[in-house]
Amino acid sequence: MSRIGKQPLQVPSGVKVNLDPKTRTINIDGSKGKLSFKYRPEVTVNWAQNENRITCSIPKEQMENVTYLELWGTTRARIKGMIEGVTQGFTKKLEVNGVGWGAKLQGKTLELAVGFCNPVKITVPMSVQVAVEQNVVTVTGADKQAVGQFAAEVRAARPPEPYNGKGVKYADEVIQRKQGKVFGT
């Protein structure tokens, strides 16, 4: 039995939930934005308005089926992330490390000067907001997947390397530094 899937989700005040069982779509509205999710047919999602609670379930005869259990927990986790996103939002911070390296925002395009002859240009998606202060890029938004995906694309432009410490890294990421070549031993 899924330990995550069976736990009910409390919906905070100020969050609007719209559940359509025919299309298997749940829409969640909050102060930070609006998110929508189409869940799988193996999972049943129930919205108790009077209790402000969302529950997920699967058929009792499928309690031994690993696929059903995985989908059950995943559906509940996605809905929890949506509620958290529309109330608090998600943030990822990246640092651009290197001499003469930097980032700047030009409209809806993030330009990274990361040691190539031309700057790397990355288009910012509509569901994500980006702010740049000195060499710190802050990515925020209500959709956890969109924020993480854009941050990963920015990091992939020039991943940190372990010898000189140059590159784009997450603010909380620790790069294990390696010793360079040693001659004469």
Side-chain angles (χ1 to χ4, degrees), residues 95-103 113-115 135 158 161 164-168:
E95 296 174 354
V96 181
N97 296 323
V99 177
W101 292 16
V114 288
N135 285 350
R158 190 73 180 236
E161 55 99 40
N164 296 325
K166 294 180 182 179
V168 180

Side-chain angles (χ1 to χ4, degrees), residues 1 3 7-8 13-14 40 42 48 55 59-60 68 80 91 104 110 112 124 128 133 150 157 170 172:
M1 185 166 202
R3 291 181 295 187
Q7 298 172 358
S13 60
R40 294 286 302 249
E42 293 89 348
T55 57
K60 292 225 183 271
Y68 275 72
K80 180 183 179 213
T91 302
K104 63 182 175 179
L110 179 67
L112 298 170
V124 179
V128 173
E133 283 184 26
F150 184 73
Y170 294 112
D172 57 354

Side-chain angles (χ1 to χ4, degrees), residues 64-140:
E64 300 297 319
N65 189 334
V66 175
T67 304
Y68 275 72
L69 293 173
E70 291 168 351
L71 292 173
W72 186 16
T74 301
T75 301
R76 192 247 183 217
R78 287 285 304 268
I79 295 171
K80 180 183 179 213
M82 290 169 61
I83 292 170
E84 188 178 334
V86 298
T87 54
Q88 301 165 353
F90 294 99
T91 302
K92 294 267 188 185
K93 290 188 181 227
L94 298 111
E95 296 174 354
V96 181
N97 296 323
V99 177
W101 292 16
K104 63 182 175 179
L105 195 59
Q106 301 262 327
K108 288 299 264 179
T109 304
L110 179 67
E111 288 189 10
L112 298 170
V114 288
F116 299 122
C117 58
N118 294 320
V120 177
K121 296 181 180 182
I122 304 170
T123 304
V124 179
M126 296 298 292
S127 60
V128 173
Q129 293 81 36
V130 176
V132 178
E133 283 184 26
Q134 295 177 350
N135 285 350
V136 177
V137 178
T138 306
V139 183
T140 58

Side-chain angles (χ1 to χ4, degrees), residues 46-57:
N46 296 316
W47 160 235
Q49 286 182 331
N50 53 353
E51 298 174 13
N52 254 3
R53 202 168 67 182
I54 297 173
T55 57
C56 300
S57 62

Side-chain angles (χ1 to χ4, degrees), residues 33-52:
K34 179 179 181 177
L35 297 174
S36 180
F37 171 57
K38 186 171 182 174
Y39 54 90
R40 294 286 302 249
E42 293 89 348
V43 181
T44 305
V45 177
N46 296 316
W47 160 235
Q49 286 182 331
N50 53 353
E51 298 174 13
N52 254 3

